[in-house]
Amino acid sequence: MTIKRLLLKEPPLPALLEDIREVCRQMEQVKIRFDMQSDADLVDACIYEQAALQARYRYLLEQVRRQGMTAPKMYADPTPLSAMPAAAPLQAGEAAI
């Protein structure tokens, strides 16, 4: 471990890549939950959770870059919030599940 990494308390690269994998897995789980939600509050919760995970993802990628490494291409572009379909509004008389 380098002195710089010890001083800055940066996690070693394998731990960073494992963290990136975990964040990607969590983003996929949020997307699945988002697709299944019909309650407006739960849809909002999924959107906020996805935004938080994307911020963590960007942070982890920056840490990898600071260590002079590049992340594998499979981690280059997480699903943005804009790619998530908007929840359809309920019609009059329609109940949320």
Side-chain angles (χ1 to χ4, degrees):
M1 185 170 281
T2 67
I3 293 174
K4 178 182 175 185
R5 192 173 293 155
L6 285 172
L7 292 174
L8 297 176
K9 299 201 185 309
E10 294 176 351
L13 187 62
L16 285 173
L17 292 179
E18 188 58 38
D19 288 347
I20 290 171
R21 284 186 193 103
E22 178 62 21
V23 168
C24 288
R25 186 193 65 74
Q26 290 174 355
M27 284 192 290
E28 186 61 33
Q29 292 295 319
V30 169
K31 184 179 180 323
I32 291 168
R33 283 197 321 271
F34 178 87
D35 291 340
M36 294 180 353
Q37 296 301 332
S38 59
D39 180 76
D41 289 335
L42 294 176
V43 168
D44 285 347
C46 287
I47 291 169
Y48 289 121
E49 186 176 353
Q50 182 74 11
L53 288 167
Q54 286 177 337
R56 174 130 176 90
Y57 179 84
R58 285 190 305 272
Y59 166 79
L60 291 170
L61 286 184
E62 182 59 31
Q63 294 303 306
V64 168
R65 287 185 194 111
R66 284 183 185 201
Q67 292 187 27
M69 304 296 289
T70 57
K73 184 153 180 74
M74 66 185 281
Y75 302 119
D77 187 25
T79 304
L81 288 175
S82 60
M84 292 181 138
L90 295 176
Q91 303 298 321
E94 192 175 28
I97 298 175

